[in-house]
Amino acid sequence: MSLFDDDKYQQYEDQFDPLHNDRQARRKRKPKAKHIAKKATQQVLEEIADLEGLEGGFKTTYVPGLFEQGWLLQALQPFYEQKLITDVLGRVKGGKEANVYRCMAHPSTGETLIAAKVYRPRMFRNLRNDAMYREGRDILTGNGKALNKKDDRTMRAIGKKTAYGQQVSHTSWLMHEYKTLNTLFQIGASVPQPFAAGENALLMAYFGDETIGAPTLHEIDLPRQHAKRVFAAVMSNIELMLQHDMIHGDLSAYNLLYWDDEVILIDFPQVTITDVNSNARTILERDITRLCDYFVPRGVSCDPSDLTHALWQKYVGKVGFYREVDVSRTWDSGDDVQ
Ligand SMILES: Nc1ncnc2c1ncn2[C@@H]1O[C@H](COP(=O)(O)OP(=O)(O)OP(=O)(O)O)[C@@H](O)[C@H]1O
Ligand SMILES: [Mg+2]
């Protein structure tokens, strides 16, 4: 239903108008002006922006739809005030949970363009089932610190999925993405440099140009002669992450950008920590399988099961991971896990 469904408001007015059922009173009422001019769209938009509490001159070149208006500007306003962005130029892509926007960077960032990943409001999000990734993870608050598990009120709200609990879960999800991006960037992984995080959005380096964002591998026909090199680059990032106890968790051609002959890994909220999540090996194998699904038809020879086994042995298995987890949950296929 549209935000401005006239019928809906008419019904509302009819129902709650005290004069509605009082014939005498209705007769006394001043006649209504016959024609009320419709508000100009721009005026309506400005009023909504005001309703959302937006002031301070944050006007954007990109004209958001009515649906996005409130939450988009509200999410990005803090970045404008912190002098990280000066304008929103366009929408790069709408994902399942978030939209990514191309913004004009404030000179203080040293960038020209910058990407803002803005999560949709809770009710419009198509939430992934994150239970598998949450295992063993702290709940992170807006300042990036772990929530005290003795905070019963919040823990109960999360468990019961109240509106407050869902917002806490969501902020935690976003902060995990931001923290991971920071760590990965610092250790030299091929990821966008993060700049800032807010309650519903994060800012990071933008790949692409003034008109289009970098395509994902899924969107291009990667020439066979580049396939081996690109596959090796992705694998070396997987290894780097494993060296730091991390697994991407949603790796596929959809979450790999390709720009200037380089591959960039994106989309990190579900990163898994190898030594606290009993599903870690399964998650790693799924990442590698999806990768091989893309690269094998392009002439790269890779066997997901062998690769996973070798990587696990090298980076995880040898530190005695299986002492701490319930092996049966992770590994019921009977494969060799040593
Ligand atoms: N730093 C960036 N520079 C340019 N484009 C980007 C950047 N980050 C993301 N994008 C674009 O935005 C899209 C959505 O980003 P991302 O995958 O992080 O969000 P998502 O909502 O989790 O998406 P989905 O659920 O579809 O995977 C990407 O597929 C990519 O096209
Ligand atoms: Mg994605």
Side-chain angles (χ1 to χ4, degrees):
M1 190 186 288
S2 125
L3 205 57
F4 294 99
D5 189 329
D6 288 340
D7 288 348
K8 186 174 135 199
Y9 289 102
Q10 188 58 53
Q11 272 175 26
Y12 187 84
E13 197 181 84
D14 290 349
Q15 198 179 342
F16 293 100
D17 182 350
L19 303 182
H20 186 70
N21 292 319
D22 182 341
R23 283 162 76 203
Q24 240 181 347
R26 267 211 320 268
R27 252 179 258 133
K28 280 189 210 152
R29 183 157 60 180
K30 279 187 188 166
K32 271 187 190 167
K34 281 221 167 80
H35 172 73
I36 301 169
K38 278 199 170 167
K39 282 180 189 165
T41 312
Q42 190 53 37
Q43 192 188 342
V44 174
L45 292 178
E46 277 163 16
E47 280 178 15
I48 299 174
D50 281 349
L51 278 177
E52 299 290 341
L54 295 174
E55 287 129 23
F58 182 35
K59 296 267 185 292
T60 62
T61 301
Y62 171 69
V63 182
L66 278 176
F67 158 78
E68 332 168 78
Q69 169 94 3
W71 55 270
L72 170 66
L73 298 185
Q74 207 164 38
L76 297 186
Q77 172 100 353
F79 299 145
Y80 176 77
E81 282 164 4
Q82 291 158 31
K83 301 207 182 325
L84 293 165
I85 61 170
T86 58
D87 194 2
V88 182
L89 302 175
R91 186 166 71 184
V92 181
K93 187 86 75 67
K96 287 191 289 293
E97 286 153 2
N99 289 349
V100 172
Y101 297 86
R102 179 172 40 254
C103 301
M104 184 64 83
H106 191 278
S108 68
T109 60
E111 305 279 305
T112 315
L113 296 172
I114 203 163
K117 179 170 178 174
V118 183
Y119 280 85
R120 292 154 193 269
R122 212 174 36 245
M123 58 281 205
F124 300 129
R125 235 178 289 136
N126 194 350
L127 270 189
R128 323 175 198 217
N129 178 9
D130 65 348
M132 178 157 85
Y133 308 104
R134 271 202 324 262
E135 185 187 317
R137 293 211 311 195
D138 283 329
I139 293 166
L140 299 181
T141 58
N143 58 13
K145 299 227 169 77
L147 179 84
N148 183 350
K149 297 242 166 77
K150 287 186 189 141
D151 180 348
D152 288 343
R153 187 176 83 90
T154 306
M155 294 309 285
R156 261 203 313 275
I158 295 170
K160 286 189 174 163
K161 296 197 169 153
T162 64
Y164 168 63
Q166 286 188 41
Q167 181 58 43
V168 174
S169 303
H170 165 63
T171 302
S172 172
W173 188 247
L174 193 146
M175 289 314 294
H176 272 287
E177 175 159 30
Y178 182 63
K179 269 194 137 178
T180 307
L181 214 45
N182 261 312
T183 310
L184 290 177
F185 184 74
Q186 275 162 23
I187 63 176
S190 182
V191 300
Q193 177 178 1
F195 287 93
E199 277 212 348
N200 273 314
L202 67 88
L203 271 193
M204 61 184 146
Y206 168 77
F207 292 87
D209 60 26
E210 300 76 26
T211 51
I212 52 153
T216 62
L217 278 189
H218 168 74
E219 291 165 326
I220 55 166
D221 192 12
L222 184 71
R224 281 175 89 92
Q225 72 266 27
H226 295 314
K228 260 194 183 151
R229 174 183 59 81
V230 176
F231 177 72
V234 180
M235 286 311 299
S236 80
N237 276 282
I238 291 182
E239 285 206 58
L240 186 59
M241 289 184 76
L242 280 170
Q243 276 167 26
H244 293 83
D245 308 322
M246 287 181 275
I247 299 168
H248 184 288
D250 191 17
L251 203 58
S252 74
Y254 292 88
N255 281 329
L256 291 164
L257 299 181
Y258 195 63
W259 192 249
D260 281 343
D261 294 334
E262 298 293 335
V263 69
I264 302 109
L265 285 67
I266 57 164
D267 204 1
F268 293 95
Q270 66 293 305
V271 160
T272 300
I273 305 299
T274 50
D275 59 359
V276 295
N277 190 315
S278 59
N279 300 301
R281 195 188 192 284
T282 313
I283 294 173
L284 175 66
E285 182 151 10
R286 195 186 54 190
D287 276 2
I288 296 179
T289 303
R290 288 187 183 151
L291 216 54
C292 292
D293 287 348
Y294 180 82
F295 283 100
V296 167
R298 289 165 177 83
V300 175
S301 65
C302 60
D303 180 292
S305 158
D306 287 354
L307 265 176
T308 308
H309 181 73
L311 288 173
W312 195 260
Q313 284 271 84
K314 188 167 174 194
Y315 296 106
V316 192
K318 70 175 182 194
V319 298
F321 174 70
Y322 283 102
R323 281 205 305 273
E324 284 153 18
V325 299
D326 177 2
V327 181
S328 61
R329 280 188 61 196
T330 322
W331 203 259
D332 47 15
S333 65
D335 282 10
D336 181 8
V337 294
Q338 288 310 302

